[in-house]
Every structure is written in C-alpha cells, then in structure tokens.
Amino acid sequence: MSTHRGSTTCFNWSWADGNTTATIYYHNTCSTTKHLCVWWKDGQENNMHRITAAGDAKGHLKEPGTIKSQDIEDC
C-alpha cells in the first residue's frame, strides 16, 4: 500500500491505496470556507465528490473505489 500526498492552493491532502475503498484526509489551510473536488473510480464509473471545509478544518472522506490522484483540485 502506498501513500499519496499533495496540495492545492488551500488544501493539503493524503490518501492510501485500498482494496475496495479509499479514504482521503484533508486540511483546509485557508482562513475561509473552501471546496476540494475529488474524483473516485468505482468499477467503470467515475464520481466527483465535492468536500466543503471551513477555514483551518481537517477531516476525511471514505468512499468505495479508488481515488484518481490526477483529479484532485480546488473547486
């Protein structure tokens, strides 16, 4: 299992490969509420999840499938 890390303008994030699910951990480093868009691939289906986080908030989101690491961005 490998861990992936990255950042955008207002977020630091990390996630690890899983067998059937993936969990992304995030931290909004800005002082205001921001959004992070994350794409998951579950079988043949791609789904976008929009995470809303208050300023300086930390959290996580767990979903079935795998995260498409090239498709994590502020939105």
Side-chain angles (χ1 to χ4, degrees), residues 3-7 13-15:
T3 301
H4 308 272
R5 299 181 192 283
S7 62
W13 51 264
S14 65
W15 61 277

Side-chain angles (χ1 to χ4, degrees), residues 7-11 13 30 34-37 72-75:
S7 62
T8 62
T9 304
C10 284
F11 284 92
W13 51 264
C30 289
K34 297 292 181 180
H35 308 283
L36 183 69
C37 288
I72 300 174
E73 60 191 9
D74 291 332
C75 58

Side-chain angles (χ1 to χ4, degrees), residues 7-73:
S7 62
T8 62
T9 304
C10 284
F11 284 92
N12 294 325
W13 51 264
S14 65
W15 61 277
D17 299 317
N19 292 329
T20 59
T21 63
T23 303
I24 187 167
Y25 298 88
Y26 57 87
H27 176 207
N28 177 1
T29 58
C30 289
S31 60
T32 59
T33 298
K34 297 292 181 180
H35 308 283
L36 183 69
C37 288
V38 182
W39 283 90
W40 259 266
K41 183 170 181 67
D42 186 11
Q44 296 298 316
E45 198 172 312
N46 293 323
N47 298 298
M48 192 271 292
H49 296 275
R50 185 175 185 223
I51 297 167
T52 301
D56 199 37
K58 296 179 182 180
H60 67 278
L61 178 65
K62 182 177 182 177
E63 293 289 334
T66 58
I67 293 173
K68 297 176 67 179
S69 61
Q70 69 275 17
D71 291 327
I72 300 174
E73 60 191 9

